[in-house]
Amino acid sequence: MSTFKYHSLPGFGEQCRDKYGFSDSCVIGERMIVTGQTGMDPLTLKTSPIFEEEVTQAFQNINDLILLTLKKEGRTIEEAKTGWDYVVKLHAYLVDLSTMRAQARETMVRHIKKFCPNHQPLFTMVGVESLPFPEHRIELEVDIWLK
């Protein structure tokens, strides 16, 4: 039977774990599940008002979290691989998607191609009314296969 191993990014991730009782990632055998990461810088707690920068930060937060989790798990990261090289599925939740559909789609496709140049992960983009913090317009979740 697999055991659950939980991890959180330094800064906001650790604060959420301590204050709210949830973690950023969980490893179950050869699978990693990453909870929603927004476009907020986890150390400065700032979110850019520029959508493109917010999306870039969310993608970077996912990458950093995957690499941190792999390191804490004692896993070897293959040379020249990023955290995104392990991503199998991406879920994106966007506030007010109906008012910015084309921009959101173009921005997400551009980032997926940039962060996943060697594979095409499964992708779902969903519009939501709001996220827990009013300045956040995007939240990303990913599923990872570690073999």
Side-chain angles (χ1 to χ4, degrees):
M1 180 176 194
S2 294
T3 59
F4 301 150
K5 300 174 187 171
Y6 296 98
H7 304 280
S8 294
L9 276 174
F12 188 69
E14 292 171 341
Q15 290 174 20
C16 285
R17 184 191 59 224
D18 296 341
K19 187 173 182 179
Y20 303 117
F22 64 85
S23 300
D24 286 332
S25 66
C26 180
V27 175
I28 309 161
E30 297 300 321
R31 182 176 183 205
M32 181 192 310
I33 303 168
V34 173
T35 193
Q37 297 296 306
T38 66
M40 178 179 65
D41 183 302
L43 298 177
T44 67
L45 308 184
K46 303 258 189 251
T47 302
S48 175
I50 300 166
F51 182 68
E52 180 83 20
E53 292 175 2
E54 184 178 358
V55 173
T56 299
Q57 184 66 55
F59 270 76
Q60 190 60 53
N61 291 346
I62 292 283
N63 186 70
D64 294 348
L65 179 55
I66 293 168
L67 294 176
L68 174 80
T69 301
L70 290 172
K71 182 179 178 184
K72 286 188 172 187
E73 287 291 311
R75 304 263 184 159
T76 301
I77 301 166
E78 294 178 41
E79 190 173 329
K81 279 206 171 190
T82 71
W84 280 94
D85 288 313
Y86 299 93
V87 172
V88 174
K89 181 161 176 109
L90 165 63
H91 297 98
Y93 304 95
L94 289 103
V95 175
D96 295 326
L97 179 60
S98 62
T99 65
M100 58 180 279
R101 189 172 283 121
Q103 176 193 11
R105 185 174 40 248
E106 291 168 10
T107 301
M108 290 303 298
V109 166
R110 192 170 44 259
H111 279 77
I112 291 168
K113 287 181 176 182
K114 175 184 173 185
F115 281 82
C116 302
N118 301 314
H119 74 293
Q120 295 76 42
L122 304 172
F123 174 54
T124 302
M125 183 168 64
V126 177
V128 296
E129 181 181 326
S130 65
L131 292 169
F133 296 93
E135 66 273 18
H136 298 163
R137 292 166 289 177
I138 187 167
E139 188 164 326
L140 305 177
E141 294 179 340
V142 295
D143 290 328
I144 293 115
W145 183 250
L146 299 174
K147 273 207 164 179

